Amino acid sequence: MSDSTPVGSASSGFSRRGFIAGAGSLLGVMALGGRTPAWAQTVAATTPIASGAHVPALVIGTGYGGSVAALRLAQAGVDVHMVEMGMAWDTPGSDGKIFCNTLSPDNRSYWLRTRTKAPLNYFLGFPIDRDISCYTGILDAEEFSGITVYQGRGVGGGSLVNGGMAVTPKRENFGAILPTVNPDEMYNTYYPRANAGLGVGTIDPAWFDSTDCYQYARVGRKHAQRSGFPFVFVPDVYDWDYMKQEAAGTVTKSALAGEILYGNNNGKKSLQKTYLAQAAATGRVTVSPLHKVVSVAPASGGGYTVVIDQINTSGETTTTKTVTADRVFFAAGSVGTSKLLVKLKATGMLPNLNNEVGKGWGDNGNVMCGRANHLWDPTGALQSSIPCGGIDNWAAGGAFAEVAPLPTGIETFASFYLSITKNPNRAEFSWNPATGKVDLNWQQSWKQPAIDMAKTIFDKINSKEGTIYRTDLFGIYKIWGDHLTYHPLGGAVLGKATDNYGRLAGYPGLYVIDGALIPGNTSVNPFVTITALAERNIEKIIATDL
Ligand code: FAE
């Protein structure tokens, strides 16, 4: 049967043999460090779905929302199949590593591109992008008219490429983030559950104060505090004990080798090591990597018909499969879910979806900038790729700025920041029949409020320190990284396109359970909120719908 063919990985299914093959490849890499962290004991199972199959629950996407849904459904006794357009990322390449390094991107770095598209794409005014061969790599730089949206591709979704910053928003800000959700439930039950499930921890402050690899963050703290801004430690899913050992030279370096944007080979607890590992351990969850859902429509006998393109590592469709599912969970990420729903409504597959589908999309107010420090204020040649602190000026200026690394391996005298701002602009996805694609009507000028809010922090710091903005990081004499977002949110907003638990209006058994539910902003980095909301919604769905 063609469906038992291994797809993009060494494992051939959730047979015992396949499971051990997959786990073995991962643990083999871990073993290079001479030590296997406790959380690395298992990996998600891959079993490409058969055309004609019938599944009780089908989850589109394997990021945060999808992983929570799969685990909790499986624990409730439901068999789940997860469909993921990206690769399994469980097999090392010829260099012995699963993921390539940020400083030396190869074909594993980008999703179907022939040239890298680094978020920070200039250095000293020179472009740093390079040619690569086209491959189903891990980071998608998806281009819409006014914005490039970065997203993870593979089993684990955004958890494969992100910085792991795991931030619970301040409770006083929650009403503006998810106005229809009871904050007591979230802060008493679902945020703690999400933090536990994700393995969130905070850096040891004494180690922070002494280690070379966070000199850049200490400089960031000093400058923030001297201008009167609070500096806060930001929790992360990185294994902080592992990082200490990296610094001590006793394990393979990962955060301290600059690994982040194109995957992290060791210390980061991506979803493959947390929710998806737990899901695999139930024996009820299987995954089809390199499979892309292209259609969902009501099936004549009840449930839904789902059409899936199986692709190869060049992105070409090799097989088209049709399966049926009693329930379908859209967890393809804010952009992926929105694009699917907008297309399915416009092309008559799901015509009864309401007119809120595609609306309320925001960039979490992302904007980047760098500052040029004095020569007597170096930020360090060794920089951990995992950020651990931020500057909080949300209440007064509408900005929360993470002090980000520039892990180039050389002293840059630069302080670098990713700001999350209260930018109120929202965009809308729409179907373009001429191109057969979904457009997003964001305009680059809509970043101006974000820049103004970030300036409430950095103009003041520059004035106090006698420093200036870097102009060489995003082009030739360009200060602001205002062309991108790492944090797409919205497009199928809770309580608008869906009911208050993610049930899609007009179609019983169809659910949205990812960042598409959140109306454009979370005031901090978003994945803890996406995870906590998914925990809340799936609990209700299991209790009342199954
Ligand atoms: P997501 O994790 O994007 O998962 C969706 C999955 O669906 C992906 O694996 C897709 O490949 C797959 N997919 C899409 N369409 C289809 C289809 N048609 N068929 C099958 N599969 C499909 O969704 N957030 C933080 O909180 N802290 C951070 O430090 C942080 N750093 C970031 C750094 C970078 C470079 C990036 C790109 C993002 C970062 N984020 C961070 C954002 C975070 O990763 C993102 O909000 C979540 O991953 C979104 O979770 P979802 O479950 O919505």
Side-chain angles (χ1 to χ4, degrees):
M1 182 173 75
S2 66
D3 294 308
S4 63
T5 310
V7 179
S9 85
S11 45
S12 61
F14 196 35
S15 63
R16 187 171 161 73
R17 185 179 67 82
F19 177 74
I20 291 169
S25 61
L26 184 68
L27 297 181
V29 171
M30 295 298 172
L32 294 175
R35 168 183 175 272
T36 302
W39 40 258
Q41 299 303 321
T42 185
V43 291
T46 61
T47 310
I49 196 164
S51 197
H54 174 102
V55 292
L58 186 136
V59 177
I60 309 171
T62 55
Y64 292 91
S67 299
V68 171
L71 172 62
R72 301 307 176 200
L73 286 165
Q75 287 174 333
V78 180
D79 287 333
V80 180
H81 193 85
M82 306 181 82
V83 182
E84 169 56 54
M85 67 192 273
M87 304 205 310
W89 298 110
D90 61 357
T91 309
S94 56
D95 59 357
K97 291 183 184 286
I98 292 180
F99 306 113
C100 67
N101 195 281
T102 315
L103 292 180
S104 48
D106 58 28
N107 63 343
R108 290 170 288 185
S109 57
Y110 281 89
W111 179 256
L112 301 178
R113 277 185 175 272
T114 52
R115 195 165 168 79
T116 63
K117 191 170 172 66
L120 189 156
N121 50 348
Y122 277 74
F123 194 64
L124 301 174
F126 292 101
I128 58 173
D129 282 317
R130 56 164 82 175
D131 291 340
I132 48 172
S133 54
C134 184
Y135 189 66
T136 45
I138 199 163
L139 185 64
D140 195 353
E142 189 169 0
E143 292 177 79
F144 293 98
S145 63
I147 193 163
T148 301
V149 184
Y150 285 88
Q151 297 152 89
R153 293 275 175 254
V155 176
S159 80
L160 296 167
V161 296
N162 67 33
M165 296 180 84
V167 197
T168 300
K170 281 187 179 166
R171 188 169 169 145
E172 63 256 36
N173 297 331
F174 186 78
I177 300 166
L178 286 164
T180 61
V181 174
N182 178 346
D184 286 340
E185 283 179 10
M186 291 296 282
Y187 284 85
N188 295 339
T189 304
Y190 301 110
Y191 274 121
R193 188 175 295 172
N195 276 287
L198 293 164
V200 175
T202 305
I203 191 167
D204 167 1
W207 188 66
F208 173 82
D209 277 330
S210 60
T211 180
D212 287 349
C213 66
Y214 280 115
Q215 185 178 336
Y216 75 94
R218 294 195 298 274
V219 169
R221 175 178 67 181
K222 178 178 71 181
H223 292 172
Q225 291 176 340
R226 284 207 292 229
S227 286
F229 297 115
F231 174 92
V232 291
F233 282 120
V234 170
D236 202 280
V237 297
Y238 205 84
D239 180 334
W240 294 106
D241 288 336
Y242 189 85
M243 199 190 297
K244 281 184 179 174
Q245 292 174 62
E246 290 182 47
T250 55
V251 295
T252 304
K253 287 189 172 54
S254 189
L256 269 51
E259 291 177 352
I260 179 166
L261 207 50
Y262 310 133
N264 182 286
N265 284 298
N266 287 291
K268 197 173 81 181
K269 288 172 276 181
S270 67
L271 289 166
Q272 289 178 323
K273 296 167 185 166
T274 57
Y275 275 94
L276 287 171
Q278 275 198 60
T282 66
R284 288 191 178 276
V285 179
T286 49
V287 186
S288 290
L290 287 174
H291 281 59
K292 182 175 181 182
V293 171
V294 292
S295 175
V296 178
S300 51
Y304 292 88
T305 301
V306 182
V307 181
I308 307 170
D309 283 347
Q310 180 171 0
I311 59 175
N312 60 22
T313 55
S314 303
E316 298 150 347
T317 301
T318 55
T319 318
T320 296
K321 302 178 178 179
T322 303
V323 306
T324 52
D326 298 335
R327 291 166 205 284
V328 178
F329 292 81
F330 287 82
S334 158
V335 173
T337 290
S338 304
K339 284 198 310 187
L340 269 174
L341 293 176
V342 164
K343 179 180 102 172
L344 296 174
K345 179 172 167 60
T347 56
M349 295 294 159
L350 296 174
N352 299 335
L353 291 174
N354 72 24
N355 288 329
E356 293 291 335
V357 162
K359 293 184 179 163
W361 185 87
D363 66 342
N364 210 23
N366 280 188
V367 67
M368 290 178 178
C369 68
R371 293 178 39 253
N373 291 320
H374 297 295
L375 292 182
W376 60 84
D377 211 4
T379 46
L382 174 66
Q383 302 199 358
S384 168
S385 62
I386 299 298
C388 70
I391 304 168
D392 184 3
N393 196 36
W394 190 260
F400 176 86
E402 51 177 73
V403 179
L406 266 183
T408 57
I410 57 168
E411 176 59 55
T412 62
F413 298 98
S415 285
F416 186 54
Y417 308 91
L418 168 63
S419 297
I420 294 160
T421 68
K422 219 185 272 183
N423 188 345
N425 285 316
R426 295 292 178 269
E428 184 176 341
F429 292 93
S430 60
W431 176 245
N432 184 336
T435 59
K437 289 188 173 157
V438 174
D439 296 334
L440 179 67
N441 67 350
W442 184 270
Q443 296 170 32
Q444 192 160 345
S445 60
W446 291 3
K447 287 278 192 184
Q448 192 57 47
I451 293 173
D452 294 342
M453 290 170 192
K455 278 163 71 76
T456 66
I457 297 176
F458 303 115
D459 279 3
K460 190 168 177 190
I461 291 180
N462 277 338
S463 160
K464 177 80 182 170
E465 300 296 326
T467 51
I468 55 170
Y469 288 103
R470 291 283 288 235
T471 57
D472 62 325
L473 301 177
F474 301 104
I476 297 161
Y477 208 81
K478 180 162 170 45
I479 292 176
W480 296 99
D482 58 355
H483 58 296
L484 57 78
T485 185
Y486 285 176
H487 299 164
L489 292 167
V493 169
L494 190 80
K496 293 190 169 173
T498 73
D499 76 354
N500 204 26
Y501 291 91
R503 300 177 183 100
L504 270 163
Y507 293 96
L510 293 190
Y511 307 89
V512 175
I513 192 149
D514 59 13
L517 290 172
I518 297 175
N521 204 300
T522 53
S523 76
V524 290
N525 315 60
F527 74 62
V528 173
T529 297
I530 295 170
T531 306
L533 184 65
E535 289 279 19
R536 166 193 179 268
N537 292 355
I538 199 69
E539 188 173 271
K540 175 65 102 188
I541 290 163
I542 288 169
T544 58
D545 294 16
L546 299 185

